[in-house]
Amino acid sequence: MTSELPPRAGRRCHNALNPLHSTVYFSPDLDREFTALGFTDAAAMRLASRSAALGAAGAGAVAATFYNYNHALLARHLPAVWETASPAEVLAARLRAADATLRRLLGEETVASAEMAEAAGLALRAAEACTRHARPLYSAHADLPVPDAPHLAYWHAATLLREHRGDGHLAALLSAGLDPVEALVSHTATGKGMSPRWVLGSRGWGRADWDAAVERLRGRGLLDAGGDLTGAGARLREELEEHTDRLDAAPYEHLGAAGVERLTELARGFLFTAAAAGAFPADLVGKG
């Protein structure tokens, strides 16, 4: 049974769920697990972690699926990372890292709580309505088993919902005519995206690539002389999110208004706890 959702309810739920999934990419627990597998390069660790569900994919497939990563960066590490550890070994290490990270950030009491089990059930129910077509990263993760432990089932469901929305967002970016670097620059200009330092360090682009994208966006009237969004740029970014909302509506409509509200409440509580415990770098988000 479905019920009419308030405007942006699905987006708000995603914004509460997604960051907790992302904590693993900043976690020393991931570094420890991957170092034990034989990885020595941080970029290789994170690329392997997120792409392992696709199997032993090469740079071309991952560039298409990730959208905003420089193919040259990917080609330095893929498919070579699979000589260090198989996708199955990487996925197992990632799940161990997620377990250690959530226990460290949330505490054993929260991990074992009735609220965590409730949140896992709600998130998994929402994910029942996710669709596979044209969603490669979601679909690959949907083939993975649901972990037994509630906090890991919750993390798994958050991953499914994150990648489902993310795959849809790529279609919206293509429709809007934003190339990979333009997408990153315009997102950062909203004040809600990663800071340029983090973008350039993790996506493999150089300052010249960034500056060239800024000039292209200025030429389209989307950025002003100071690098901030113009009115047209702000409208484009909101239209992108609304387009993504439409493509990502099914899971939240399936869960229903009451379920979405409750899942958002629970997810925000977990997220605030994790953030207060130092889950994210202090300079991760911002225009500077």
Side-chain angles (χ1 to χ4, degrees), residues 24-280:
V24 73
Y25 299 118
F26 307 102
S27 173
D29 305 302
L30 187 75
D31 294 341
R32 183 184 65 253
E33 289 288 349
F34 276 57
T35 298
L37 290 179
F39 287 93
T40 58
D41 185 280
M45 293 179 196
R46 281 150 184 78
L47 290 174
S49 175
R50 190 162 180 232
S51 67
L54 297 167
V62 174
T65 306
F66 284 14
Y67 194 86
N68 57 27
Y69 280 69
N70 189 335
H71 180 267
L73 169 69
L74 299 175
R76 286 201 294 272
H77 300 293
L78 297 167
V81 296
W82 311 123
E83 298 173 7
T84 300
S86 70
E89 291 171 324
V90 166
L91 289 169
R94 184 179 73 164
L95 193 62
R96 292 193 300 271
D99 179 37
T101 299
L102 293 179
R103 290 181 186 277
R104 176 172 51 81
L105 295 175
L106 301 180
E108 295 293 339
E109 183 176 345
T110 297
V111 161
S113 67
E115 288 78 10
M116 179 62 74
E118 181 186 4
L122 289 168
L124 287 168
R125 193 186 315 158
E128 292 171 355
C130 292
T131 56
R132 289 180 180 268
H133 46 280
R135 300 185 194 264
L137 205 50
Y138 159 74
S139 190
H141 282 88
D143 284 341
L144 302 178
V146 179
D148 292 329
H151 66 295
L152 294 180
Y154 175 74
W155 186 82
H156 173 77
T159 303
L160 297 179
L161 293 167
R162 163 203 169 91
E163 303 300 6
H164 187 267
R165 184 177 179 89
D167 286 337
H169 189 61
L170 303 190
L173 289 172
L174 283 172
S175 180
L178 292 175
D179 70 25
V181 189
E182 292 165 356
L184 292 166
V185 169
S186 61
H187 189 210
T188 293
T190 67
K192 300 176 183 178
M194 287 196 299
S195 69
R197 184 178 78 83
W198 278 95
V199 171
L200 297 176
S202 64
R203 267 51 176 178
W205 303 105
R207 175 54 69 172
D209 301 307
W210 184 274
D211 292 343
V214 167
E215 289 305 314
R216 292 195 298 273
L217 292 172
R218 283 179 179 150
R220 292 175 60 180
L222 301 175
L223 289 183
D224 63 21
D228 293 321
L229 291 172
T230 61
R235 286 192 297 274
L236 178 63
R237 288 302 316 188
E238 180 54 30
E239 288 166 3
L240 275 169
E241 293 303 326
E242 290 175 353
H243 189 175
T244 305
D245 289 344
R246 293 191 294 273
L247 295 175
D248 191 41
Y252 305 102
E253 291 175 348
H254 178 66
L255 186 57
V260 171
E261 181 180 7
R262 178 59 174 160
L263 178 56
T264 304
E265 176 188 13
L266 291 167
R268 282 176 174 165
F270 300 147
L271 177 58
F272 292 159
T273 299
F280 307 103

